[in-house]
Amino acid sequence: MSDAPHASPFNALPPVVTALAAAIFGVEVLFMLAKSGLIGGTRGGEDWRIFALQRFAFSGELFGWMVETGRWPPEHAMRFVTYPFVHVSFTQMIFVVVFVLALGKMVGEVISNAAVAAIFFAASIVGALVYAILLNDPRPLAGGFPGAFGLIGGYTFILWVGYGAVGANQFRAFTLIGFLMGIQLIFGLLFTVGNFWVAEVAGFLTGLALSPLLVPGGFGRLLARIRQR
């Protein structure tokens, strides 16, 4: 008799999804340990967070300086891929981890581990680029939402193909992103949430655009759908 019903749900997670979530959560654990005084000597946890944001968050101003001077110091260029792992608060980190685990699992069941990582990091990089190019915002970009929204884009494409295969309304695939953007709008009206949504939308569109190249048979199905119109 199979013992599958007693297996840990984490066994079903693609390794890359587990690794991303563990890395994101692990950084926050360091902040908590520092705040409790267990590591870091006299530096508090909030000091560690501030230092990490200064050192690893993406800065549009630094990006502009690199473009103008043609100089790309590694310690600044790496911010494109380090900022998703540093968050401004524990709450922000929890939401990102939940998105990465849930969406990463669903996307990872269709495409490879390498493709999941490609979507996450490509969405993060493009999100940062769009944030820097379209906005003149001095606030640094931090947190894994652009990468997580890239996974939402991948999941949206998978749903789009699936609905098309059974003759259902394919616009239903955009329900999740529509709901999330609606929540963003409400929060934007009630609170000052900043311009981070620009990077998130760019991340979503990146994941959506990359998925036809990464989902098995995805590009062929996309072309077939276009030809039918």
Side-chain angles (χ1 to χ4, degrees), residues 6 22 27 32 49 67 90 95 109 114 123 145 156 170 187 227:
H6 305 288
V27 172
M32 290 188 290
R49 187 188 302 278
V67 171
F90 180 84
F95 276 105
E109 289 174 346
F145 273 122
T156 298
Q170 289 179 288
F187 271 85
R227 288 167 182 163

Side-chain angles (χ1 to χ4, degrees), residues 44-181:
E46 292 309 310
D47 289 335
W48 275 46
R49 187 188 302 278
I50 292 171
F51 170 78
L53 289 170
Q54 292 173 341
R55 183 69 178 82
F56 300 110
F58 177 81
S59 169
E61 293 179 335
L62 277 175
F63 173 76
W65 173 82
M66 289 188 289
V67 171
E68 290 177 4
T69 63
R71 298 169 56 190
W72 299 83
E75 65 270 20
H76 295 327
M78 72 177 184
R79 292 169 183 262
F80 280 102
V81 293
T82 59
Y83 85 84
F85 299 95
V86 183
H87 295 81
V88 298
S89 68
F90 180 84
T91 302
Q92 184 195 28
M93 180 277 299
I94 287 295
F95 276 105
V96 169
V97 168
V98 169
F99 273 101
V100 169
L101 289 175
L103 277 301
K105 180 180 185 299
M106 290 185 284
V107 174
E109 289 174 346
V110 178
I111 63 178
S112 68
N113 277 269
V116 171
I119 288 177
F120 181 85
F121 284 107
S124 299
I125 293 170
V126 173
L129 282 172
V130 172
Y131 181 80
I133 293 172
L134 294 187
L135 304 174
N136 186 25
D137 196 329
R139 287 173 293 186
L141 177 65
F145 273 122
F149 270 65
L151 295 176
I152 295 174
Y155 181 61
T156 298
F157 178 78
I158 292 170
L159 287 179
W160 187 84
V161 173
Y163 286 141
V166 298
N169 182 3
Q170 289 179 288
F171 287 105
R172 289 170 53 195
F174 294 89
T175 301
L176 177 58
I177 188 62
F179 172 77
L180 292 175
M181 287 296 99

Side-chain angles (χ1 to χ4, degrees), residues 9-30:
F10 293 101
N11 292 337
L13 286 172
V16 68
V17 175
T18 303
L20 286 172
I24 292 169
F25 188 79
V27 172
E28 200 68 29
V29 169
L30 290 177

